[in-house]
Amino acid sequence: MKKQWRVFIGFLLVLIIVIFAVLNNTDVRISFGFTTLSAPLILILICSAIIGALIVLLTSTTTMWQQRKTIEQQEKELAIYKDEMNKKVAEEKEKLQRDFTNQTAKLEASYQTQIKEQELLIASLNGEKHTREEKNLDYFD
């Protein structure tokens, strides 16, 4: 839709220039500083419009080329930053997983120790005799 308006406006401007040039078809003298030229005004107007269009085309093409180059560079930087971020996220995830595993192991060992102590206490209250090996608990099992 936006491009259609651009084409329509461009066509309208060309039509205005052509009508203006046709209405002004008398001969005029043009001085270039080192020489003088006499030509119909219609040709001078059309050539001036074409030269203006070429100037606009060249400047806009240069600007678009620079913008594309900047966009490509920024996309490369963005990809690098994304990779770095993903690596850092993975490292933090692994670290948290290790911490969680370590805490779980400590809690499990503590829990097992408490269970054995409670079993020994229950056994002593029931009057059962335990061997020396049962009283020596290994906290790293």
Side-chain angles (χ1 to χ4, degrees):
M1 184 75 174
K2 192 174 186 181
K3 285 192 174 201
Q4 290 175 349
W5 280 104
R6 285 184 181 178
V7 170
F8 178 74
I9 291 172
F11 178 74
L12 189 63
L13 289 174
V14 168
L15 184 64
I16 290 171
I17 290 171
V18 169
I19 290 172
F20 185 72
V22 170
L23 293 175
N24 295 292
N25 58 5
T26 60
D27 279 353
V28 292
R29 289 174 41 114
I30 301 172
S31 175
F32 292 104
F34 56 90
T35 187
T36 304
L37 176 70
S38 180
L41 184 60
I42 187 169
L43 289 177
I44 294 171
L45 291 173
I46 290 174
C47 288
S48 297
I50 290 172
I51 291 171
L54 288 174
I55 290 171
V56 169
L57 180 68
L58 288 174
T59 57
S60 66
T61 303
T62 303
T63 303
M64 286 182 2
W65 180 76
Q66 289 173 345
Q67 288 175 345
R68 283 186 184 154
K69 187 176 178 180
T70 302
I71 289 171
E72 288 175 4
Q73 181 183 5
Q74 289 175 344
E75 285 176 345
K76 288 177 184 178
E77 289 176 8
L78 180 63
I80 290 170
Y81 289 138
K82 281 183 179 180
D83 288 342
E84 288 176 4
M85 182 188 65
N86 288 337
K87 287 177 184 177
K88 288 181 180 180
V89 166
E91 288 172 2
E92 283 297 317
K93 186 177 178 182
E94 289 174 10
K95 180 183 173 187
L96 289 173
Q97 185 67 34
R98 283 192 306 268
D99 290 345
F100 176 75
T101 303
N102 290 340
Q103 288 177 351
T104 305
K106 287 178 185 177
L107 288 173
E108 180 68 26
S110 174
Y111 176 71
Q112 291 299 327
T113 301
Q114 289 177 358
I115 288 176
K116 287 185 180 182
E117 287 174 355
Q118 292 296 322
E119 287 175 351
L120 287 174
L121 181 62
I122 292 171
S124 67
L125 290 175
N126 288 336
E128 296 177 10
K129 293 183 179 179
H130 293 283
T131 63
R132 186 176 182 139
E133 293 172 3
E134 290 177 336
K135 290 184 182 179
N136 293 335
L137 299 175
D138 187 4
Y139 293 103
F140 299 104
D141 283 343

